[in-house]
Amino acid sequence: MKLSLPEDVQLLSTTRSFLERGTQKLLIAGEWVEALDGLTFPTYNPATGEPLAEVALAGEADVDRAVQAARSAFEAGSWSRLSGEERGSLLWKLSDLLEDHADELAELETLDNGKPLRVTRHGDLPQAVKHLRYYAGLAGKIEGKTIPVSFSNQFVYTLREPMGVVGLIIPWNFPLLMAIWKLAPALAAGNTTILKPAEETPLSALRLGELIQQVGFPEGVVNILTGPGLPTGAAIVSHMGVDKVAFTGSTEVGRQIMKNAALSNLKRVSLELGGKSPNVIFADADLPKAIKGANWAVFSTAGQECVAGSRLFIERPVYDQVLEGLAAEAQRIRVGNGFTPKIHIGPLVSENQLHRVLGYIENGKKSGAQIIAGGERLGDDLAAGYFLSPTIFTHQDDNLPLVQEEIFGPVVAVSAFEDWQELVGRANQTSYGLAAGVWTLDIRKAHRFAQAVRAGTVWINGYGLFDPAAPFGGYKESGFGREMGQEALELYTQTKTVWVGL
Ligand code: NAP
Ligand code: MG
């Protein structure tokens, strides 16, 4: 394995030995096994284009093995019938192990996904730890209700029981964090699980699997299958033995998943999908803060965030001033290999993704939008990777693909607005509804906007904040079901009503 790193950078010996052990295997029923048909696929470092590891490609038969393992574990009750407190204590132990191995997991994440080490180490990893602890605490607090009914001789209560075997299918932009967003509540509620990371970024999930074993979760409670959407993801979704699928990814694949869930066993589905989030700067905002905030809202993670504030609306009187500030900020962003110190953003995750985004930029230029900053693939020492400069377009036409479609790259579409009615109409002129931002010092206007915008999360004078206690999810074609908070437990439990004749 050839691994080009920036000068003076040394990987931890644990990271190296993980990468040097040869083909990475699947975790099924507590064992690391090869795919039954022996297939593998490579995963790449997007900063250099170099392959990092060969990974087992799970086929339908492997999915079947994993479902059986998860089913046996569920039926055996070695997890679902533990007390919530006992499940919580294992989740907490896992959070401690994650903390102990944070440096190594952050390195793997940066190698596989490309984002800066500073971000994986001080953003993704502590967030994952916090999520595990939040749900470790909630595991023993999943309560039913007593229900007063119209019969005086009946006592009625509800239980919230786990779904059973749940499939967890996640994207590549926050590989470890997305795994934990789903595993933590699913496990807290007593389900057994099959996790499929994205084919671009399987490594941190595999290392997580080893830590899960080390903690001592009963075998079959967490199974990890690597492989692409087809066949691996699709086989999980169509399997008759899977009770629920929780998915994060594109709206297009979300549609397929709903359809295939319906055509198999009507398994439960929750979907966290794409977005094209409006971010609004009013003339009475704290402009320096708003400019920095709007910049980071779309360019952090190189725009590869479902909540990216990719449609920026600026109130006319401050339009020129804000635009100038934005362009200056964008030019200050340092793009580079995630291991280079002081880098702000890394590469796009794959060559495919780079060309998709470049396609939108070319199309934007041709369609009459004006490019104010960026728009180019970066060369020189970054030429082998998939690096793009932060790109700002201004436009007068909300119907452009640039303005309507999720680009998932460092590209923002900026326009001016004149009045409230126009703003609200245009902000909501999208099939998505994941998030929105608004910058103003007028608190009444801020709340009015929060009420008027059709989105699952609204940030006022800030952007992109997450916490395990705060529910997150979409309106409209951005999906349904809420991750995080107590609401996430609803995705992984079902209600049983018990009637007791007195
Ligand atoms: P994607 O293509 O939809 O893939 C997401 C996951 O689904 C991957 O693991 C993928 O496998 C798998 N998959 C693909 N086709 C499948 C099928 N037919 N059946 C079952 N699984 C299938 O999305 P992506 O390109 O990885 O990620 C970018 C998208 O995710 C963006 O649209 C973004 O907005 C969305 N996203 C949403 C959120 C949110 O919380 N709402 C968060 C992050 C990302 P492979 O990729 O391995 O083939
Ligand atoms: Mg994909």
Side-chain angles (χ1 to χ4, degrees):
M1 182 195 56
K2 181 167 164 279
L3 201 63
S4 317
L5 291 166
E7 227 174 293
D8 298 333
V9 172
Q10 297 279 345
L11 291 179
L12 292 168
S13 60
T14 39
T15 309
R16 276 209 167 269
S17 60
F18 178 84
L19 291 172
E20 281 164 359
R21 67 163 65 141
T23 301
Q24 300 288 343
K25 296 180 179 168
L26 312 169
L27 180 60
I28 299 179
E31 306 274 344
W32 291 97
V33 297
E34 288 174 13
L36 281 174
D37 57 14
L39 292 181
T40 63
F41 67 97
T43 181
Y44 296 92
N45 177 355
T48 62
E50 292 165 346
L52 284 169
E54 273 299 303
V55 182
L57 192 161
E60 273 183 39
D62 300 303
V63 170
D64 198 45
R65 286 199 286 172
V67 174
Q68 283 182 32
R71 176 60 57 196
S72 308
F74 187 74
E75 302 294 343
S78 55
W79 184 248
S80 55
R81 286 199 285 276
L82 285 184
S83 72
E85 189 197 357
E86 288 169 304
R87 287 196 302 270
S89 106
L90 280 185
L91 287 170
W92 197 284
K93 278 189 190 147
L94 180 61
S95 76
D96 286 341
L97 261 193
L98 235 62
E99 218 164 40
D100 294 345
H101 292 266
D103 290 328
E104 177 197 344
L105 285 161
E107 284 189 352
L108 277 180
E109 200 80 314
T110 291
L111 284 168
D112 212 9
N113 165 283
K115 66 170 87 170
L117 188 63
R118 186 177 43 77
V119 174
T120 53
R121 179 62 186 83
H122 302 291
D124 299 36
L125 256 295
Q127 275 288 337
V129 169
K130 272 207 257 186
H131 272 75
L132 280 168
R133 291 184 179 161
Y134 180 80
Y135 287 103
L138 271 186
K141 305 179 184 73
I142 302 173
E143 297 172 345
K145 290 180 175 161
T146 59
I147 315 277
V149 291
S150 57
F151 303 90
S152 60
N153 62 344
Q154 296 286 329
F155 169 57
V156 176
Y157 65 92
T158 59
L159 297 170
R160 282 172 70 196
E161 298 191 323
M163 293 281 182
V165 174
V166 303
L168 311 172
I169 300 180
I170 56 171
W172 41 258
N173 55 349
F174 293 82
L176 183 74
L177 188 55
M178 293 281 152
I180 296 293
W181 274 19
K182 292 193 164 29
L183 280 171
L187 292 172
N191 298 279
T192 59
T193 60
I194 299 162
L195 171 71
K196 191 202 91 64
E199 63 182 302
E200 290 88 349
T201 53
L203 297 181
S204 55
L206 294 171
R207 187 68 185 104
L208 174 68
E210 294 179 336
L211 299 181
I212 283 171
Q213 282 188 304
Q214 204 175 317
V215 168
F217 284 80
E219 64 188 40
V221 169
V222 179
N223 303 276
I224 301 179
L225 298 183
T226 42
L230 288 173
T232 318
I236 294 172
V237 174
S238 293
H239 201 291
M240 298 295 284
V242 174
D243 299 302
K244 188 233 152 76
V245 165
F247 171 77
T248 296
S250 60
T251 294
E252 186 193 342
V253 173
R255 259 185 244 287
Q256 282 296 319
I257 286 181
M258 257 186 106
K259 195 167 120 199
N260 292 336
L263 292 175
S264 53
N265 58 344
L266 271 182
K267 57 177 62 64
R268 308 303 182 256
V269 171
S270 52
L271 303 174
E272 293 292 349
L273 308 175
K276 191 76 186 176
S277 299
N279 194 12
V280 179
I281 300 180
F282 281 101
D284 59 6
D286 175 338
L287 290 182
K289 278 214 172 96
I291 289 168
K292 272 196 195 315
N295 191 66
W296 203 236
V298 65
F299 296 136
S300 68
T301 320
Q304 302 171 110
E305 263 185 58
C306 47
V307 298
S310 51
R311 289 184 299 141
L312 181 61
F313 297 91
I314 305 170
E315 200 168 13
R316 176 67 73 190
V318 294
Y319 180 76
D320 292 333
Q321 184 190 347
V322 171
L323 196 58
E324 201 177 300
L326 267 181
E329 280 289 324
Q331 270 142 15
R332 272 199 285 274
I333 292 180
R334 287 186 295 270
V335 185
N337 187 306
F339 286 94
T340 304
K342 303 206 173 131
I343 280 304
H344 296 119
I345 63 176
L348 299 188
V349 78
S350 64
E351 193 168 7
N352 245 344
Q353 194 66 10
L354 174 76
H355 289 297
R356 239 191 95 233
V357 177
L358 281 171
Y360 275 106
I361 292 174
E362 281 320 303
N363 176 290
K365 286 181 189 159
K366 281 191 210 128
S367 64
Q370 293 83 45
I371 205 157
I372 304 296
E376 259 136 50
R377 180 175 184 173
L378 299 178
D380 302 326
D381 55 334
L382 299 180
Y386 315 126
F387 296 91
L388 200 54
S389 51
T391 303
I392 302 175
F393 274 103
T394 58
H395 71 92
Q396 284 84 36
D397 179 359
D398 286 335
N399 296 313
L400 299 179
L402 187 71
V403 189
Q404 285 302 318
E405 295 176 22
E406 180 174 53
I407 298 178
F408 229 59
V411 182
V412 62
V414 185
S415 63
F417 71 93
E418 312 286 341
D419 62 44
W420 176 264
Q421 214 147 14
E422 175 203 339
L423 170 70
V424 172
R426 292 177 59 205
N428 285 330
Q429 194 197 320
T430 166
S431 58
Y432 293 112
L434 193 58
V438 56
W439 302 81
T440 169
L441 295 181
D442 180 345
I443 199 68
R444 295 160 302 179
K445 203 155 59 181
H447 284 290
R448 258 171 45 223
F449 182 77
Q451 287 173 10
V453 71
R454 306 258 303 137
T457 295
V458 184
W459 288 290
I460 297 173
N461 296 328
Y463 205 93
L465 293 153
F466 288 91
D467 186 90
F472 171 73
Y475 275 35
K476 302 198 273 184
E477 292 179 34
S478 291
F480 49 83
R482 290 292 177 269
E483 302 205 84
M484 296 184 264
Q486 302 202 17
E487 287 194 39
L489 288 174
E490 283 162 27
L491 302 183
Y492 299 102
T493 54
Q494 49 197 343
T495 298
K496 178 179 280 174
T497 305
V498 183
W499 291 71
V500 186
L502 298 175

